[in-house]
Amino acid sequence: MTTFSSDTLARIAESDDLHVSPFRGDGTTYGTPTWIWSVVVDDALFVRAYNGTASRWYQAAMQQGAGRISAAGAEHEVTFRAAAGEADAEIDAAYRLKYSGSPYLRPMLTASTVAATVEIRPRPGGAPSSRNRDGRPGSDVD
């Protein structure tokens, strides 16, 4: 299994700037970046669609299974995998910790939003597209 490096996960976990761009129907063109909340649980990166499984980016991510994220100053070619029901309580707790005090937290913990939980992993075998903070090409996987 391909995973993000611990350094990359730590940078993403500390940031609040993750944008997701699943491929469009042609499988090669990236969709419009959508800003979403992200959390790291047990060395894995998770996101949820605020509007549940009907969300346009969620539908594209599940249909295409791949795309790109931009987070913590780097871009990463990724895969998307439905992850609802696998670690819901732990992901809920991570959302509560990272986004406490936000008026948008409660909707991220509803049944419809939890059903739209996605695990994001680096795309195996893809050409690395991430860049280190200084702009140099870098490895984002272990």
Side-chain angles (χ1 to χ4, degrees):
M1 168 176 67
T2 304
T3 60
F4 288 104
S5 70
S6 57
D7 183 53
T8 297
L9 278 176
R11 284 194 316 269
I12 293 172
E14 292 171 4
S15 72
D16 190 26
D17 69 342
L18 192 138
H19 289 79
V20 61
S21 303
F23 283 130
R24 294 183 184 199
D26 65 8
T28 60
T29 305
Y30 296 104
T32 303
T34 301
W35 178 74
I36 56 175
W37 285 359
S38 64
V39 295
V40 173
V41 174
D42 294 333
D43 297 324
L45 177 61
F46 294 95
V47 296
R48 288 180 172 162
Y50 184 86
N51 292 312
T53 58
S55 173
R56 190 177 305 164
W57 79 259
Y58 176 86
Q59 290 291 318
M62 293 301 95
Q63 186 173 54
Q64 297 300 322
R68 175 183 290 161
I69 63 166
S70 174
E75 290 185 345
H76 308 275
E77 303 296 316
V78 298
T79 61
F80 303 106
R81 183 183 70 77
E86 295 179 16
D88 294 341
E90 293 87 349
I91 295 169
D92 285 353
Y95 270 97
R96 283 186 187 99
L97 181 65
K98 185 171 181 178
Y99 299 103
S100 66
S102 171
Y104 302 105
L105 176 59
R106 176 165 267 151
M108 296 305 290
L109 305 173
T110 65
S112 64
T113 305
V114 171
T117 301
V118 176
E119 182 181 2
I120 298 176
R121 294 181 182 165
R123 191 169 346 147
S129 66
S130 66
R131 301 216 173 257
N132 293 327
R133 289 182 183 203
D134 62 3
R136 293 179 297 118
S139 175
D140 61 348
V141 296
D142 280 340

